[in-house]
Amino acid sequence: MAIMAQAINIRGKVISAADGNPLAGASVTAYTASGREVGASTNSNGDYSLQITTDVTYLIFAYVGMQPVRESINNRNVINATLTADESDLDEVVV
């Protein structure tokens, strides 16, 4: 008899560190020890919701032009993320 991992709901908000505004369309990806499990995008308010298994150990938050953030689950159901600008992308600006 196989034991199935329990499903849990995780939710939260993704914002910009520069101005505190929500980041619509940011990606939120859940990972287990063996790799990617599931992903979602934030809505226009920067909110997301994922149904994951208890095998998931961390989330990666990413947005174009921002540095990705890794957050461990640690038995939390609400995980918010604040993303900062990726300064390396600014070196490529053409005027």
Side-chain angles (χ1 to χ4, degrees):
M1 181 173 165
I3 297 175
M4 301 295 290
Q6 181 181 3
I8 57 174
N9 289 314
I10 301 286
R11 64 182 173 82
K13 182 182 273 299
V14 181
I15 64 170
S16 167
D19 55 17
N21 286 333
L23 294 174
S27 67
V28 183
T29 309
Y31 288 87
T32 65
S34 60
R36 180 182 186 274
E37 180 179 271
V38 67
S41 294
T42 57
N43 65 18
S44 60
N45 296 318
D47 298 320
Y48 74 92
S49 178
L50 287 173
Q51 185 169 16
I52 62 172
T53 65
T54 53
D55 293 339
V56 170
T57 56
Y58 64 93
L59 302 177
I60 297 284
F61 298 89
Y63 190 78
V64 175
M66 305 289 233
Q67 294 178 350
V69 171
R70 176 180 169 152
E71 283 284 338
S72 295
I73 302 293
N74 294 333
N75 296 318
R76 296 182 289 170
N77 293 87
V78 177
I79 301 175
N80 299 316
T82 302
L83 304 184
T84 58
D86 187 350
E87 299 298 326
S88 65
D89 285 348
L90 296 178
D91 293 338
E92 303 298 320
V93 175
V94 177
V95 180

